Amino acid sequence: MKKNLLIIILLINTIILNAQIIDRISFNYGITSSDLEWEIKDPSFPTLNELDNRKINGFYSGIDIDYLKSKFFTLSTGIGFYQKGTKYNWANLPSKLDLSYLTFDTKIKVKYDFNNFTPYLTIGPRIDYLLKYSSAFDDFDRLGMMNKINYGLRYGLGIQYNFGKIILGLAWKNDVSFNSIVDNNGEYMNPPFTIKDKTMFFNLDFGIKM
């Protein structure tokens, strides 16, 4: 208990000492819109477009810290939780695939202050860690086809309104993945295939200037 209290005090002191570096802390809440894409590696097999994939919505929440602010640029680092997946029909039987991730990103924010409004663009690398998934992925995981780490780019745009030290905003973000969710090389299942995702975020921001 004493050790935990000491750590908390040290963290608080660090934040206070570096308050001139940290510009803003924001809390983000919203939804995701996502779909999963199946890519068949063997052209002799028919495409899985017959699955009739459809987008699904998930939940997103996170915290961003803006720091090293300049007139037109700010760096921002975030951590959050989000869901993605797809719905599909197979032999007229509807099914749902969903996954939950812990996500980290660091991005550069290009902004322009106009009275109390601040429109901005963001782009930067991200890395996501798989927390849980629907039972349809059980065999993929058992056979070592699931990638627990997903990485790529995250870019977006948004606008903020400043009420003194309180900031409210709207944002849209899009993920570009550099690796797949499932990678089947054909050793255990035929045909060989990969599963990748398309994921967008729509969220509200509630920020506090430091």
Side-chain angles (χ1 to χ4, degrees), residues 45-195:
F45 284 84
T47 176
L48 282 178
N49 287 337
E50 298 174 1
L51 287 176
D52 188 22
N53 285 20
R54 298 182 182 182
K55 293 182 178 180
I56 64 171
N57 294 329
F59 174 74
Y60 164 73
S61 66
I63 299 175
D64 281 345
I65 297 178
D66 292 359
Y67 53 97
L68 298 180
K69 177 185 177 183
S70 65
K71 184 175 181 180
F72 297 111
F73 300 95
T74 300
L75 293 180
S76 181
T77 296
I79 182 173
F81 167 87
Y82 77 97
Q83 301 166 319
K84 62 184 176 184
T86 192
K87 287 182 179 179
Y88 67 92
N89 289 317
W90 180 260
N92 295 321
L93 297 175
S95 188
K96 181 179 179 181
L97 302 175
D98 57 78
L99 309 102
S100 299
Y101 285 87
L102 183 67
T103 182
F104 304 88
D105 63 41
T106 295
K107 48 202 172 286
I108 185 169
K109 178 185 290 185
V110 182
K111 62 188 182 66
Y112 180 75
D113 296 325
F114 180 74
N115 294 329
N116 290 328
F117 290 94
T118 305
Y120 63 88
L121 302 172
T122 60
I123 187 169
R126 65 167 178 88
I127 184 168
D128 303 338
Y129 180 75
L130 181 62
L131 297 176
K132 61 179 181 178
Y133 51 82
S134 57
S135 59
F137 289 100
D138 284 345
D139 285 342
F140 299 148
D141 190 22
R142 179 176 56 84
L143 296 173
M145 301 176 188
M146 292 284 292
N147 290 317
K148 299 297 179 66
I149 301 294
N150 190 251
Y151 57 91
L153 282 177
R154 178 168 291 151
Y155 63 89
L157 55 86
I159 189 167
Q160 300 166 350
Y161 187 82
N162 304 296
F163 296 91
K165 285 188 171 294
I166 303 299
I167 301 170
L168 298 179
L170 296 171
W172 167 86
K173 293 173 286 190
N174 189 65
D175 280 358
V176 177
S177 294
F178 293 162
N179 67 329
S180 59
I181 295 172
V182 175
D183 190 1
N184 169 35
N185 59 15
E187 182 179 357
Y188 299 107
M189 292 184 182
N190 274 315
F193 62 86
T194 61
I195 301 177

